[in-house]
Amino acid sequence: HFIQYPSIIVRRKVHSTIQVAFLILSQFEKNRLLPLISTLWPSISNCVKTEKSESILTCVYETIEMGIQVSGTFLETRFIEGIWNEAERLLRNLLTPGTSKPSTTASLKLCGAVFRCVSRAVAQLPRVTLELSESIAAIINNVENISEPEIRQYSHELWIQLQRMNPDLAWYVEYQRGNKRSSESRLPPHHLLKEF
């Protein structure tokens, strides 16, 4: 596979090609889309774990986001079991408390790609919202220490998506975490969650 090719330029082009292929197949050849995703998934998943280049990792997360966008819930288990742990680790490393922002433009782009990928997963994969909400909220809370406006915007968009998909759970997670987002605090969306 060219996905593991030594040249960064080739690997970047391969991911761009895969993204376009996913989009075209989703519109015109739906019966070929899921088998292609299934065939490519082990290589894509492996890239998340082994790729060292931030620019290529950005492309990998963009490819995963596109795969989720076009395949419905097909990638739900694969995302939860194969991608989330690496995405969470990567975001925690990029958003280390005490740093003012990710250190390079490549890091900033990577951080944005991961946030957008996770946001897409929250929007389209119901189990992600149910099983990973606490972990996602913890990542979002880490962004409170980051001064970079783009990262804060990505984090805010992810939080809005989480609230949209499961408002009761998002409120509860926010409440459990001490309601750090006081400017956004609201009453519980469901009467059974109100304090006694």
Side-chain angles (χ1 to χ4, degrees):
H1 283 198
F2 285 106
I3 227 166
Q4 305 290 337
Y5 200 76
S7 167
I8 287 178
I9 295 169
V10 171
R11 293 198 314 268
R12 189 177 301 131
K13 295 262 187 216
V14 167
H15 282 284
S16 296
T17 303
I18 290 170
Q19 292 168 36
V20 170
F22 285 173
L23 192 57
I24 290 171
L25 289 176
S26 73
Q27 294 172 359
F28 302 107
E29 293 284 337
K30 290 185 180 187
N31 58 333
R32 292 183 179 183
L33 176 64
L34 297 184
L36 175 65
I37 291 174
S38 184
T39 300
L40 293 175
W41 191 257
S43 296
I44 293 169
S45 180
N46 188 49
C47 285
V48 169
K49 295 172 183 147
T50 61
E51 183 59 60
K52 302 296 181 214
S53 166
E54 288 184 338
S55 67
I56 299 302
L57 269 174
T58 299
C59 294
V60 172
Y61 280 99
E62 289 168 350
T63 301
I64 294 167
E65 179 187 1
M66 179 60 71
I68 292 169
Q69 178 181 328
V70 299
S71 69
T73 59
F74 181 71
L75 293 175
E76 191 166 54
T77 299
R78 290 173 170 100
F79 181 86
I80 291 169
E81 294 176 2
I83 303 301
W84 171 247
N85 287 336
E86 293 299 320
E88 181 181 30
R89 181 191 58 73
L90 187 60
L91 283 174
R92 286 191 190 281
N93 288 343
L94 289 171
L95 304 172
T96 304
T99 60
S100 60
K101 60 183 178 178
S103 58
T104 64
T105 303
S107 296
L108 183 61
K109 287 181 180 180
L110 174 57
C111 199
V114 177
F115 268 115
R116 287 189 305 274
C117 180
V118 173
S119 190
R120 173 67 64 184
V122 166
Q124 280 192 238
L125 309 177
R127 278 184 52 212
V128 169
T129 305
L130 293 174
E131 295 179 25
L132 305 177
S133 289
E134 291 241 8
S135 301
I136 293 169
I139 293 291
I140 292 169
N141 283 337
N142 281 346
V143 174
E144 298 291 326
N145 304 318
I146 302 294
S147 61
E148 182 62 48
E150 288 178 57
I151 299 300
R152 294 176 72 81
Q153 181 63 33
Y154 294 138
S155 169
H156 179 72
E157 289 167 7
L158 177 56
W159 185 250
I160 295 297
Q161 197 63 257
L162 191 63
Q163 287 177 322
R164 183 178 297 133
M165 298 311 295
N166 194 334
D168 294 339
L169 184 59
W171 178 87
Y172 182 70
V173 168
E174 186 177 272
Y175 181 80
Q176 267 191 324
R177 298 209 176 276
N179 214 357
K180 290 183 182 178
R181 303 171 157 271
S182 57
S183 63
E184 299 173 17
S185 65
R186 297 185 301 277
L187 292 175
H190 192 275
H191 72 280
L192 293 176
L193 290 175
K194 291 181 182 173
E195 288 187 276
F196 297 105

